[in-house]
Amino acid sequence: MRKITVSALALVFFAAGANAKAPAPADTVLHHGTILTVDSKDRVVQAMAIRGGRIVMLGSDKAVRAFIGKRTKVIDLAGRTATPGMIDAHAHALGGGIDEVANLQLAEAASVADFLARVKARAAELPPGAWLTGSGWNESRIAEHHPPSLAQLDAVSDGHPVALGNTTGHYTLVNSAVLKLAGITAQTPDPAGGRYDKDASGALNGVLYDSAQDVLDKLVPPVDAATRDKGLKHLIEGALAEGLTGFKDPGIDRTSWDVYARAAKAAPLPMHVCTLVSARTDMMTARAAVDDYRQRKREAAALKGGNLDVCGVKIFLDGSGAGRTAWMYQPFEADASHVNPGTGLPMMGADVYRQMVDLFTREGMPIGTHAIGDRAIDTVVDAYAAALKQRPKQGLRHSLIHANLPTGHALDVMADLQKRYDAGYPEAQAEFLWFLGDALAAGWGPERSHKMMPYATYVKRGILYSDGSDYPVTPYAPRYGLWSSVAREPDGDRFGKAPFGTAEAVDIRSALKSHTIWAARQLFLDKQTGSLEVGKLADVAIWDRNPYAVETASLKDMRCLMTLFGGKVVFERK
């Protein structure tokens, strides 16, 4: 009986094969390569066929030949590796692009003297009285592990008001001219959620932390529309050259949204952009965010291409780890530059935060909450759990932005939220361990540093997470995130090469998922992109090496050779 059944099936398949029509030619075929699909089985294939912007075949070089027609574009990978296009689940993309084209860049300042020389040179280029703005300085990369003093900065300012943002975005160094314009003295009370920093003698040192930076909004002249448009173009070109085909830009204001919408109206964006509306810090601004979210959703729906969207609202709950303002249970470590750092601070009362979470959950709007410290993270997961228990909703995918130091309680609640409600996802940044390494290790101390970014624990417990850059806090190139996820090495050597340990490191396969399919979930695009599967968009990055096969140290030097978005080549390295 078995032989007859097998024979009958053989006849059926033979007949079907004889009558089957050849598939329609593909628009594009990639072959002779190593294609990492990052699908549920993590398959590796040789070839891919694309038609109408979507993948229609994945398999062998032999099988793909049937899809090659007279007009098919054939890309010979010549043994190179292709992956899904990379997705950054948290990048201040537009702001960073504008910053790069408009401001003095200080990321490479290697010492206080170097820092001051760069400021002095820029001051000499400006007309009298013009603002000197800059960003990116990083105490992890400054030999003295602190910025210039107020007196040193004043000495090179040449009469200009000077405002220089730290790479984290959570604190800014200003000179005395700015303090005078803002009316800030040593007796000025700190604002809620911020601090006018002082030295050991009680004198202002020119550093404005978190909400204390808000005074600059009314003082620093805004960039013009042309510069904003130039910044977006600059950002997109650079991102595509690093294999990025999507990112989430969190907490953008109406002006920034208009930049995106204007570009998308002129032509479909060559990458996926998902934005978060800023909820700011009180219930009045939160209610305004509800209306703004709905208005932007309507505007996005009217755009061609569908590549620009709004995927939630952002709430800031605490500060930064490097700036020692994250909201913690136990104090940060003190040092010469941080005499009395304390336990950080919340941006708002916990009761106001919970009201915001209730509001947005009731309205069916996804929430991304910035929470770095352990106390902040506990507050977030508990608020999410309470709101979703009261109003059970599936698929909002509420997230914890950064989530540097989750407690055991937070891990338990995250796992439960993901299982019950499809919510509670960490959106982390392995790049912090590299780019902010020494500054973070100095503030957390050795015990907490080893627990930071517990990726291995996430994987072990089945907690899905995504990775991103928080650009311009760290560079947006995903190769750095892949490497940092595996290596956990700091840029400096103040505390050696393993201040964060390796117990929470993950393998490259998990790291790649966190930059592709897991990140796509947080943009609500996992059914469309994030893995290479038949029916999905052909968002592809082609590399000069196979991340699965190279030494860990080699990951950060990967070069993107070509990027395809929706099957079209949008970047090719010459």
Side-chain angles (χ1 to χ4, degrees):
M1 194 65 160
R2 173 174 285 180
K3 289 183 179 179
I4 294 173
T5 303
V6 171
S7 298
L9 286 172
L11 287 172
V12 170
F13 286 129
F14 176 80
N19 295 323
K21 293 181 180 179
D27 300 326
T28 304
V29 159
L30 286 69
H31 66 167
H32 300 157
T34 301
I35 300 176
L36 312 182
T37 65
V38 197
D39 65 7
S40 61
K41 296 182 179 179
D42 209 7
R43 291 185 304 146
V44 179
V45 299
Q46 294 177 307
M48 176 194 309
I50 302 165
R51 188 187 309 119
R54 294 185 179 271
I55 300 167
V56 295
M57 179 270 177
L58 288 157
S60 67
D61 287 336
K62 181 179 180 180
V64 85
R65 291 174 195 159
F67 290 82
I68 299 176
K70 292 181 179 179
R71 297 183 180 180
T72 301
K73 177 183 178 69
V74 179
I75 298 174
D76 185 353
L77 294 176
R80 304 280 201 246
T81 297
T83 68
M86 300 288 172
I87 297 173
D88 191 322
H90 186 85
H92 302 275
L94 177 59
I98 294 170
D99 185 65
E100 285 194 19
V101 301
N103 295 324
L104 173 65
Q105 298 300 297
L106 292 164
E108 301 303 320
S111 65
V112 168
D114 183 14
F115 188 119
L116 292 168
R118 293 168 188 257
V119 174
K120 185 176 182 179
R122 185 58 169 261
E125 300 171 355
L126 297 173
W131 276 78
L132 194 165
T133 54
S135 65
W137 61 270
N138 180 356
E139 53 263 67
S140 288
R141 292 188 155 194
I142 296 173
E144 295 86 351
H145 307 299
H146 61 75
S149 68
L150 182 59
Q152 289 174 316
L153 185 60
D154 287 342
V156 298
S157 297
D158 195 23
H160 299 282
V162 178
L164 308 170
N166 177 267
T167 191
T168 65
H170 283 267
Y171 42 114
T172 299
L173 175 65
V174 302
N175 65 355
S176 294
V178 174
L179 294 174
K180 184 177 181 180
L181 286 170
I184 299 169
T185 69
Q187 287 71 47
T188 302
D190 288 335
R195 184 172 79 243
Y196 305 122
D197 204 38
K198 301 179 177 69
D199 61 23
S201 71
L204 292 170
N205 62 16
V207 181
L208 312 180
Y209 282 97
D210 290 300
S211 66
Q213 299 172 106
D214 292 350
V215 298
L216 300 175
D217 294 342
K218 297 179 181 179
L219 295 175
V220 180
V223 297
D224 58 26
T227 301
R228 290 193 288 269
D229 292 344
K230 182 180 178 182
L232 178 58
K233 183 175 183 291
H234 171 76
L235 177 279
I236 288 177
E237 289 176 350
L240 293 174
E242 290 288 356
L244 278 162
T245 55
F247 56 79
K248 183 193 287 189
D249 193 336
I252 64 170
D253 60 16
R254 183 70 215 191
T255 299
S256 297
W257 169 258
D258 288 342
V259 176
Y260 278 124
R262 185 164 59 247
K265 189 175 294 185
L269 298 178
M271 61 193 315
H272 304 289
V273 178
C274 184
T275 64
L276 298 183
V277 177
S278 176
R280 301 189 69 84
T281 57
D282 59 51
M283 289 307 296
M284 183 172 69
T285 57
R287 292 187 188 97
V290 171
D291 294 336
D292 199 0
Y293 172 93
R294 289 174 176 156
Q295 177 61 29
R296 295 188 200 186
K297 272 289 191 183
R298 289 191 289 269
E299 293 174 17
L303 295 169
K304 294 180 180 179
N307 302 334
L308 175 64
D309 202 358
V310 185
C311 52
V313 294
K314 180 182 179 181
I315 308 174
F316 252 113
L317 186 55
D318 70 345
S320 76
R324 292 168 168 83
T325 55
W327 196 20
M328 300 293 296
Y329 286 115
Q330 299 298 323
F332 282 93
E333 299 293 316
D335 57 28
S337 301
H338 305 86
V339 181
N340 183 27
T343 56
L345 40 89
M347 297 292 109
M348 66 190 75
D351 56 337
V352 174
Y353 173 71
R354 286 189 287 267
Q355 289 176 48
M356 284 190 177
V357 171
D358 286 342
L359 170 65
F360 296 132
T361 300
R362 182 174 67 247
E363 297 293 339
M365 297 177 180
I367 304 167
T369 303
H370 170 112
I372 286 181
D374 50 12
R375 189 172 180 182
I377 296 168
D378 277 355
T379 301
V380 173
V381 296
D382 288 344
Y384 286 174
L388 288 166
K389 182 178 181 181
Q390 184 177 2
R391 298 181 181 85
K393 294 179 184 290
Q394 284 291 324
L396 290 181
R397 297 183 183 174
H398 291 346
S399 68
L400 294 99
I401 297 169
H402 309 310
N404 281 187
L405 283 170
T407 62
H409 167 72
L411 292 169
D412 290 341
V413 180
M414 285 179 198
D416 188 61
L417 286 170
Q418 291 191 10
K419 182 178 179 180
R420 287 177 183 265
Y421 306 111
D422 188 17
Y425 294 95
E427 293 175 351
Q429 294 76 35
E431 294 91 324
F432 282 10
L433 302 171
W434 160 59
F435 205 71
L436 306 177
D438 281 356
L440 291 174
W444 298 132
E447 183 178 348
R448 288 182 293 200
S449 291
H450 278 246
K451 297 176 182 178
M452 187 180 176
M453 304 241 183
Y455 289 0
T457 296
Y458 289 157
V459 172
K460 189 177 188 180
R461 298 196 56 172
I463 297 172
L464 294 185
Y465 72 98
S466 59
D467 201 74
S469 64
D470 201 17
Y471 169 77
V473 175
T474 76
Y476 53 67
R479 52 197 168 93
Y480 295 124
L482 294 174
W483 168 70
S484 295
S485 298
V486 181
R488 293 176 67 87
E489 289 182 13
D491 186 45
D493 57 5
R494 184 180 177 188
F495 303 98
K497 284 298 180 185
F500 307 107
T502 57
E504 292 294 349
V506 291
D507 63 18
I508 184 57
R509 292 172 186 266
S510 294
L512 186 58
K513 288 178 182 176
S514 74
H515 285 80
T516 54
I517 189 60
W518 295 345
R521 287 182 57 81
Q522 294 312 104
L523 275 67
F524 298 90
L525 290 173
D526 46 308
K527 300 298 184 184
Q528 299 293 322
T529 190
S531 60
L532 302 178
E533 302 181 63
V534 171
K536 282 194 170 185
L537 291 167
D539 299 339
V540 186
I542 300 170
W543 305 90
D544 66 345
R545 66 200 73 182
N546 181 352
Y548 287 0
V550 298
E551 295 292 328
T552 296
S554 178
L555 293 171
K556 65 179 179 295
D557 300 318
M558 290 171 60
R559 282 167 61 85
C560 179
L561 305 177
M562 182 181 289
T563 304
L564 286 78
F565 180 70
K568 295 182 180 179
V569 176
V570 289
F571 166 76
E572 184 173 5
R573 193 171 296 281
K574 303 299 183 182

